[in-house]
Amino acid sequence: MRKILLGWLLGLLPMCTASAQQLPQDGPLTLRPMLQQLGQQLMKGKQGSIVAIRPSTGEIICLVTNSPKGSDVGLAIATAYAPGSTFKTAQALTLLSEGVVDNQTTMACHDGLTDGNIHVGCHKHASPLNIEGALAHSCNTWFLSAFASMINDGFMYEDKEEAIDTWRDYMRSMGLGGPLGIDIQGEKGGLLANAAYLNRRYKDGWDGKTIMWAGMGQGDVTLTPMQLCNLAATIANRGFFYVPHIHQATAQRPLPERYTRKRQTKADASAYATVIRGMRQAVEHGTCTALRAPYSVCGKTGTIENPGKDHSAFIGFAPMDNAQIAIAVYVEHGGFGADLAAPMAGLIIEEYLKGSLTPNAEARAKRIERIRTL
């Protein structure tokens, strides 16, 4: 009952799923067979997606999905989920770029945020935290409060409508909330609330407190796993991306210009530096310590509340500088992001960067393979 009530309170929207569909078969693909094989092993008995992109080109190097009926690429490109705390990375980029917060802004958090009869819990962590610490420890209080503050800021913005539309413009520039234009049929978008949508939905009025749940990636925001992976790629690239694509360029079939043109986001370069430090700290001593490795991984976990067991999510990239792989893992009803999605991503990253798994990593892969969430 608690989770059903919380799901209603957070304004979670129903998932929009495409009918079952398979990967294209026309022409050579950018997928790496070794990653496909490992991803299929890890996704056994689970429903969800693994998406990996080469940030410097936008090539999709891994795209694995699973459902009770088998593989369904629609889960990765046409299913809109609440992104949970993975979305705090995009929030941080926007809040920093708009000057709502800076690197020294701290907020106190004692077991979460309480406002009247509303209580949102949080991880155990030191208090107060700055923005890097809030990313590393996934502080709900920090991001709920900062986002609500932006929307209610009557000095920076003429009204709440201007504030939310400004926020949405940043998110759309990062490739979020709508189709990216990938070269796989059936791609769909998601939801990023703007003023017109909120005015329709909340007939009795709204403000930053009404919609603050979007600050931690729930409520009036849904994204696809492909969009989440692309977000990780934009962060790895410090502010740009190439539209993800699965077809490999050949002399007979060069890539259309839309896949080779660099797309710049609205966020400031300095904001990316801060967010990357926070994602690196998450691996060093925050929610992603399972991903410690000889190479520098940057990551952000997500645990998404909904009726039933939580969804498990993760986005990240490696190495921290000159990233070779960006990844998103989303497992329906997989529990804590740190417990399932992050370790799955870590194995895909290791396979790609090192060419094979160590014996210890192979043992972890077999343990994950035995986990069933269906």
Side-chain angles (χ1 to χ4, degrees), residues 56-298:
S56 61
T57 63
E59 293 175 323
I60 300 170
I61 55 177
C62 182
L63 181 51
V64 172
T65 61
N66 194 42
S67 73
K69 296 182 179 181
S71 177
D72 179 2
V73 72
L75 290 171
I77 69 170
T79 305
Y81 299 96
S85 292
T86 62
F87 191 61
K88 291 172 182 173
T89 55
Q91 288 285 28
L93 290 168
T94 302
L95 294 165
L96 286 164
S97 298
E98 278 294 281
V100 177
V101 301
D102 59 31
N103 291 355
Q104 283 71 50
T105 301
T106 61
M107 297 188 192
C109 175
H110 303 290
D111 299 322
L113 181 147
T114 299
D115 189 339
N117 62 352
I118 296 174
H119 177 75
V120 182
C122 197
H123 302 281
K124 297 288 185 182
H125 57 69
S127 179
L129 293 174
N130 64 9
I131 191 167
E132 292 176 21
L135 284 167
H137 296 281
S138 200
C139 180
N140 290 332
T141 301
W142 204 103
F143 284 96
L144 289 170
S145 301
F147 176 63
S149 177
M150 176 181 176
I151 302 305
N152 289 337
D153 193 326
F155 178 77
M156 291 185 63
Y157 308 102
E158 183 175 342
D159 51 33
K160 63 189 179 185
E161 282 83 3
E162 181 187 0
I164 194 66
D165 286 347
T166 298
W167 171 86
R168 187 179 185 276
D169 286 345
Y170 273 93
M171 298 301 170
R172 290 295 293 123
S173 79
M174 300 177 206
L176 303 175
L180 285 160
I182 63 174
D183 55 347
I184 306 174
Q185 290 186 351
E187 185 190 16
K188 294 184 180 179
L191 171 66
L192 286 171
N194 60 8
Y197 168 87
L198 293 171
N199 289 335
R200 290 194 305 270
R201 182 177 182 197
Y202 298 103
K203 301 294 187 182
D204 296 327
W206 57 275
D207 59 13
K209 180 180 175 181
T210 312
I211 62 170
M212 67 178 179
W213 315 108
M216 63 179 200
Q218 302 215 206
D220 297 297
V221 53
T222 60
L223 310 173
T224 66
M226 180 63 70
Q227 291 168 27
L228 285 174
C229 187
N230 190 65
L231 172 61
T234 70
I235 299 171
N237 287 336
R238 277 68 171 172
F240 70 87
F241 68 93
Y242 295 97
V243 172
H245 52 278
I246 200 168
H247 287 97
Q248 200 169 69
T250 65
Q252 294 75 29
R253 185 178 176 176
L255 288 175
E257 183 269 344
R258 68 178 181 272
Y259 300 117
T260 61
R261 177 164 57 89
K262 185 183 293 188
R263 315 295 177 105
Q264 203 74 35
T265 77
K266 288 187 63 175
D268 293 342
S270 60
Y272 281 98
T274 298
V275 168
I276 288 169
R277 288 195 297 270
M279 294 176 73
R280 181 64 187 142
Q281 288 178 30
V283 175
E284 291 175 334
H285 55 75
T287 61
C288 305
T289 54
L291 296 180
R292 288 174 181 162
Y295 39 86
S296 52
V297 182
C298 298

Side-chain angles (χ1 to χ4, degrees), residues 83-86 123 218 301-305 310-313 335-338:
S85 292
T86 62
H123 302 281
Q218 302 215 206
T301 55
T303 303
I304 298 90
E305 291 213 22
D310 297 340
H311 297 332
S312 180
F336 287 114

